[in-house]
Amino acid sequence: MGYELVRIGKDGEPKRVHEIEDPNYFRLNTDMIGRARILALWGAGVLLNADMLNYTTVYAGLMASNPSIEEVDAVHKLSEDVMTEWIKPFTTNNPKKVAYDDCRDFAGNLEIALTYIRDSPVKPEYDTELLWVFTDFLRSCKFGVWVE
């Protein structure tokens, strides 16, 4: 399970994807998109440091127990009080077009969080490189993305 994103063209339609490495295509598994959402909300100041500490603690404990997909999804579930307009399109993989403004806001706030992490002496137990690439992809989608 995951989220597949395809760059939208000038004509408002998803671009053709010829292979998995196609520059018009990006895929994140449900765990990684969930982490990206949490980090972006932290970068935006919607989630506080205490929220991130709680999330990190719960997530680390869950990963130590070989969790099911449902359990991992539950850790990444967002409550209505933190649901921003720009994050909503990325909370389900039901097929939809996502506007460039939402992609830009998601990428910008995720980059803020990734910069906090990069500049911190405390490093997470996961690699952030894919998330940096994800921010670049979102920013490059000037007409938005198709998500499913």
Side-chain angles (χ1 to χ4, degrees):
M1 290 181 60
Y3 285 63
E4 296 184 357
L5 292 82
V6 176
R7 188 184 321 265
I8 300 283
K10 281 185 193 179
D11 62 0
E13 295 300 318
K15 293 197 171 203
R16 294 189 73 153
V17 174
H18 300 284
E19 61 185 11
I20 198 160
E21 298 296 326
D22 194 299
N24 294 316
Y25 175 79
F26 204 92
R27 184 181 191 288
L28 289 175
N29 65 31
T30 55
D31 182 39
M32 195 61 93
I33 191 79
R35 181 177 298 143
R37 286 191 304 256
I38 297 287
L39 288 171
L41 290 167
W42 178 50
V46 175
L47 295 179
L48 305 177
N49 290 345
D51 299 317
M52 285 306 296
L53 181 59
N54 182 54
Y55 163 77
T56 302
T57 303
V58 170
Y59 183 82
L62 185 63
M63 290 296 108
S65 69
N66 195 19
S68 68
I69 291 172
E70 293 78 16
E71 289 171 316
V72 173
D73 287 347
V75 169
H76 298 303
K77 186 164 177 52
L78 301 174
S79 61
E80 277 300 314
D81 62 323
V82 301
M83 195 73 71
T84 63
E85 287 304 313
W86 52 266
I87 206 74
K88 282 180 186 177
F90 298 96
T91 58
T92 72
N93 57 1
N94 296 335
K96 70 184 120 343
K97 284 184 184 179
V98 180
Y100 173 69
D101 290 349
D102 294 332
C103 295
R104 181 198 59 221
D105 291 349
F106 190 177
N109 288 307
L110 179 55
E111 185 173 349
I112 290 168
L114 292 172
T115 301
Y116 292 158
I117 291 168
R118 183 194 65 205
D119 296 346
S120 172
V122 178
K123 301 299 180 205
E125 293 182 15
Y126 54 85
D127 186 14
T128 59
E129 182 58 33
L130 181 61
L131 295 174
W132 283 104
V133 175
F134 181 54
T135 64
D136 292 341
F137 176 80
L138 287 175
R139 277 205 181 90
S140 73
C141 297
K142 298 300 181 190
F143 301 101
V145 295
W146 178 261
V147 175
E148 65 178 67

